[in-house]
């Protein structure tokens, strides 16, 4: 009986030791880790584009109105926008979108980022996000990226497009960020380097769509100068902020461009359709 009791005791101790070993070996999730809905799949299997990685500050996504997880209340709205955008650009054969607004504060940068995340979360839909707002660049700041190279380095001839492109760990997103200000934006955006950037983003990066966050239409001539180079424009207006006259003027400026659609940002929840869903 003692031999049986001792054998059972040893077996129990062996199981408990193995269980403790399994728990100790399991990595603890890091607070700054990307939520499952936006985490990059390629980060675990190697990036086929061989681009360097940068770290986003995911803890600040909710505060900056960036899609954070599957429970995010704005996710469904951006999925609807994604589907409509993809249907239209696929039907037209378009690849490049300039996200614009009449003035500042309409939320065009948030729209550009969230649209890129929503599109890239769809299998086989790589999105390249480029910050070309040379007056108030904000993409890197909203994402919490502090170590990304600047697109201006490319425009100033200091490096190649590939040198300023990074992987921010957002599904299948390529990011070309910028944190520097210049008053030579229109000159840069009408140069052959702008054509090179577009060609590289579309073909070399194999992007389904390239999204450009642009300066406000009524604030400077940068966006006006760049519009002939892109396939279409997505116009962002803010409920309660964007003036009707400014919106009309923005649409007049976009008269010769393909308007993909208009996004009403900052809309009161009561005005949103299909609240049940």
């Amino acid at each position: 009986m003692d031999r049986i009791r001792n054998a059972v005791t040893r077996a129990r101790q062996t199981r408990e030791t193995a269980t403790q070993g399994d728990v100790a070996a399991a990595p603890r999730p890091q607070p700054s880790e990307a939520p499952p809905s936006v985490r990059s799949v390629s980060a675990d299997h190697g990036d086929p584009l061989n681009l360097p990685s940068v770290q986003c500050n995911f803890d600040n996504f909710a505060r900056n109105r960036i899609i954070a997880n599957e429970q995010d209340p704005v996710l469904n709205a951006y999925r609807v926008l994604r589907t409509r955008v993809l249907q239209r650009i696929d039907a037209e054969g378009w690849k490049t979108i300039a996200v614009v607004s009449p003035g500042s504060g309409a939320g065009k940068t948030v729209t550009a980022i969230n649209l890129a995340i929503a599109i890239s979360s769809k299998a086989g839909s790589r999105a390249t996000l480029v910050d070309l707002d040379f007056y108030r660049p904000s993409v890197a700041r909203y994402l919490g990226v502090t170590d990304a190279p600047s697109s201006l380095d490319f425009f100033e001839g200091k490096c190649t497009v590939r040198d300023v492109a990074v992987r921010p760990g957002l599904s299948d997103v390529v990011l070309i960020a910028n944190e520097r200000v210049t008053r030579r934006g229109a000159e840069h955006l009408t140069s052959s380097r702008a054509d090179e950037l577009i060609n590289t983003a579309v073909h070399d990066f194999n992007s389904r769509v390239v999204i450009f966050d642009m300066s406000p239409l009524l604030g400077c001539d940068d966006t006006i100068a760049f519009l002939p180079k892109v396939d279409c424009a997505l116009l962002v207006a803010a409920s309660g902020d964007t003036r009707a006259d400014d919106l009309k003027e923005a649409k007049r400026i976009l008269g010769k461009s393909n308007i993909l659609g208009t996004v009403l940002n900052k809309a009161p929840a009561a005005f949103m359709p299909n609240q049940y869903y």
Side-chain angles (χ1 to χ4, degrees):
M1 182 66 69
D2 290 338
R3 288 198 301 271
I4 295 175
R5 185 182 296 110
N6 291 338
V8 171
T9 300
R10 287 196 299 271
R12 184 183 297 112
Q13 291 173 343
T14 301
R15 287 196 301 270
E16 290 175 352
T17 301
T19 301
Q20 291 172 356
D22 290 342
V23 172
R28 293 183 178 181
Q30 299 299 315
S32 60
E33 191 172 296
S37 62
V38 299
R39 186 179 299 135
S40 172
V41 175
S42 62
D44 296 330
H45 304 285
D47 183 7
L49 295 179
N50 195 30
L51 296 175
S53 299
V54 295
Q55 182 64 47
C56 292
N57 185 352
F58 295 101
D59 294 337
N60 292 333
F61 270 33
R63 183 182 66 187
N64 293 330
R65 306 296 191 271
I66 306 302
I67 295 173
N69 52 56
E70 292 288 346
Q71 286 72 45
D72 197 312
V74 304
L75 177 58
N76 189 57
Y78 278 101
R79 280 177 170 167
V80 173
L81 177 62
R82 171 193 67 188
T83 299
R84 293 182 176 180
V85 166
L86 291 179
Q87 287 177 343
R88 180 76 188 280
I89 65 174
D90 287 349
E92 301 287 351
W94 295 339
K95 289 284 188 179
T96 53
I97 303 172
V99 180
V100 303
S101 62
S104 62
K108 64 175 180 56
T109 299
V110 171
T111 300
I113 294 172
N114 283 339
L115 180 59
I117 292 175
I119 289 176
S120 67
S121 66
K122 187 177 179 65
S125 298
R126 176 172 298 143
T128 295
L129 175 63
V130 187
D131 192 342
L132 293 183
D133 187 341
F134 292 140
Y135 278 76
R136 192 177 293 177
S138 303
V139 173
R141 176 168 57 86
Y142 279 33
L143 293 176
V145 173
T146 59
D147 51 356
S150 171
S151 61
L152 273 178
D153 290 338
F154 163 71
F155 281 107
E156 293 170 353
K158 300 176 182 177
C159 58
T160 67
V161 176
R162 181 171 284 274
D163 291 331
V164 296
V166 296
R167 290 290 229 164
L170 298 170
S171 299
D172 197 1
V173 173
V174 175
L175 172 66
I176 299 178
N178 176 48
E179 291 185 295
R180 295 169 51 203
V181 174
T182 180
R183 295 298 180 262
R184 300 178 59 196
E187 179 182 337
H188 291 315
L189 295 174
T190 54
S191 69
S192 60
R193 284 191 166 269
D195 297 318
E196 181 183 348
L197 186 153
I198 293 172
N199 185 70
T200 301
V202 171
H203 300 292
D204 293 4
F205 296 164
N206 193 29
S207 304
R208 184 171 184 182
V209 62
V210 184
I211 300 172
F212 299 99
D213 180 33
M214 306 301 301
S215 301
L217 282 167
L218 306 184
C220 61
D221 64 340
D222 290 13
T223 301
I224 299 173
F226 187 67
L227 282 173
K229 293 184 179 293
V230 296
D231 295 323
C232 59
L234 181 66
L235 180 60
V236 180
S239 176
D241 290 337
T242 302
R243 296 172 50 194
D245 289 344
D246 290 345
L247 187 60
K248 291 178 181 178
E249 179 62 13
K251 293 184 70 174
R252 187 192 67 78
I253 294 173
L254 293 170
K256 295 183 179 180
S257 302
N258 296 313
I259 300 180
L260 182 60
T262 302
V263 172
L264 179 62
N265 202 21
K266 304 180 182 181
F271 293 170
M272 297 296 289
N274 301 322
Q275 285 296 298
Y276 176 83
Y277 298 100

